[in-house]
Amino acid sequence: MTDNRSAPTLAVVGATGAVGTVMLQILSQHADIWGEIRLIASPRSVGRKLAVRGEEVEVIALTEDAFDGVDVAMFDVPDDVSAQWAPIAAAKGAVVVDNSAAFRMDPDVPLVVPEVNPHAARVRPRGIVANPNCTTLSMIVAVGALHAEFGLRELVVSSYQAVSGAGRAGVDALREQLELVAGTELGTTPGDVRRAVGDNTGPFPEPIALNVVPWTGSLQEDGWSSEELKVRNESRKILGLPGLKVSVTCVRVPVVTTHSLTVHARFESEVTVDRAHEILSTAPGVVLFDNPAAGEFPTPADVVGTDPTWVGRVRRSLDDPTAVELFVCGDNLRKGAALNTAQIAELVAAELG
């Protein structure tokens, strides 16, 4: 174990949530660079004991005093809680790594993916580093590796998003609906699934069992969803391409955990599949799994619980030699949230020395 007298102190805010739970697993699995790890949560969780690094640690309440002596604070709480408390933690001297949407597009807050733009984490005027949205993170490591070689000009993306992206309520809704439709002949006539599910749609506007729902997020201008705009705006910021053409359609699918995306990426120069394979197979944080003849391509059922971005179905566009098509999968609770947050925190810790 690290010498606790000299190693940085870490706070995990929102330690009892779905992502917070994964954060604690990752902290127990990664090289132990931290001194004290302080677990912070809402009042209803105070006093609970959670395992981290093989030890039981008691959860304390979210207060100003909770950040005394903290060097790095990882936040996984709702946007409004982050908006209120991240600046307080920063004012107490902690570098905040925030997993909410509260600061992602703030020009004074870097939006960081360590495999793509680690340098950005060093410039943080507000003492805050933002973690991208889980959908963006499920594809951006692979896209960033190709961009570094070919120069990205345009992205057209469709997502197939797991219900855990909507939190525990999303997972509960899917499991409850599956019980209602299991062993039936439902899904053969209009509205039969809807009638079986009734009002039990959970956080989704339509039934999710035996269905796909072409909507995630909240309604924005001109019919776009907030989730679609996040992918667009965050990709531009991470890659340093403010004028990048991006078009996104986000779809919810009956998968518990792991987001998938189809990606049409258009570049400045001609692309070959062989060169794309070479880049992706050596890119940090990427696993190339691409042999359709053998039935080998990523699926959420195989990728869930793993850290990398998995890439398959790599094809050059039939009508454009500068474009490629990809299918990518990434665990939205690990790389899509907890893992990337932990990686940023580790970058900051290395910088603090």
Side-chain angles (χ1 to χ4, degrees):
M1 183 172 287
T2 302
D3 181 352
N4 286 1
R5 293 168 298 177
S6 59
T9 295
L10 174 70
V12 180
V13 185
T16 57
V19 173
T21 301
V22 178
M23 280 182 180
L24 301 190
Q25 294 171 4
I26 289 169
L27 290 170
S28 302
Q29 294 161 352
H30 279 209
D32 188 7
I33 64 167
W34 303 105
E36 179 190 355
I37 295 181
R38 203 171 294 175
L39 307 184
I40 301 173
S42 61
R44 68 179 179 274
S45 298
V46 170
R48 283 182 60 186
K49 290 190 175 181
L50 303 176
V52 58
R53 297 186 301 189
E55 301 173 1
E56 294 289 316
V57 179
E58 188 168 317
V59 175
I60 63 173
L62 177 56
T63 64
E64 283 195 43
D65 293 345
F67 297 103
D68 288 345
V70 170
D71 298 295
V72 181
M74 300 196 303
F75 273 62
D76 185 69
V77 291
D79 295 358
D80 58 334
V81 180
S82 278
Q84 177 185 352
W85 285 97
I88 293 171
K92 298 280 281 190
V95 177
V96 173
V97 184
D98 182 46
N99 190 40
S100 82
F103 302 99
R104 288 175 186 154
M105 300 316 298
D106 186 323
D108 289 328
V109 175
L111 187 65
V112 175
V113 181
E115 297 91 341
V116 180
N117 62 338
H119 53 281
R122 292 181 170 270
V123 183
R124 39 180 192 268
R126 299 190 62 181
I128 301 169
V129 181
N131 196 52
N133 178 47
C134 53
T135 315
T136 306
L137 276 167
S138 295
M139 69 159 188
I140 201 67
V141 177
V143 170
L146 294 171
H147 164 61
E149 175 76 10
F150 299 115
L152 188 63
R153 280 197 298 174
E154 183 178 5
L155 276 177
V156 180
V157 177
S158 291
S159 72
Y160 309 88
Q161 293 179 226
V163 296
S164 57
R168 294 190 191 280
V171 176
D172 291 345
L174 174 59
R175 294 201 186 282
E176 289 165 10
Q177 291 178 32
L178 288 174
E179 287 185 8
L180 292 171
V181 301
T184 71
E185 297 295 321
L186 292 170
T188 57
T189 60
D192 60 357
V193 173
R194 180 186 299 280
R195 286 190 292 275
V197 168
D199 295 330
N200 187 37
T201 59
F204 311 119
E206 308 285 348
I208 190 66
L210 303 183
N211 205 17
V212 297
V213 180
W215 187 260
T216 64
S218 57
L219 181 63
Q220 304 296 303
E221 193 173 351
D222 295 327
W224 294 95
S225 79
S226 57
E227 191 84 358
E228 291 160 350
L229 297 183
K230 283 177 188 177
V231 175
R232 181 177 194 258
N233 296 332
E234 293 173 16
S235 296
R236 289 173 156 192
K237 185 172 180 179
I238 295 162
L239 298 173
L241 297 171
L244 181 66
K245 295 179 180 179
V246 184
S247 183
V248 186
T249 300
C250 287
V251 180
R252 191 76 69 181
V253 296
V255 167
V256 174
T257 296
T258 295
H259 291 347
S260 306
L261 299 97
T262 56
V263 178
H264 170 86
R266 192 161 162 259
F267 298 95
E268 298 286 350
S269 56
E270 188 169 332
V271 186
T272 65
V273 170
D274 285 348
R275 183 63 182 135
H277 271 177
E278 187 178 343
I279 292 163
L280 293 166
S281 64
T282 57
V286 175
V287 171
L288 180 66
F289 190 58
D290 190 18
N291 184 0
E296 293 180 353
F297 30 72
T299 71
D302 299 313
V303 169
V304 63
T306 67
D307 288 344
T309 297
W310 293 68
V311 184
R313 299 298 321 280
V314 180
R315 294 147 287 149
R316 188 159 83 162
S317 175
L318 294 173
D319 302 309
D320 185 349
T322 69
V324 291
E325 320 297 328
L326 316 169
F327 186 78
V328 300
C329 288
D331 186 313
N332 52 296
L333 299 183
R334 291 187 72 85
K335 183 57 179 176
L339 175 63
N340 202 74
T341 306
Q343 288 174 311
I344 297 170
E346 290 165 1
L347 277 181
V348 173
E351 176 191 335
L352 296 176

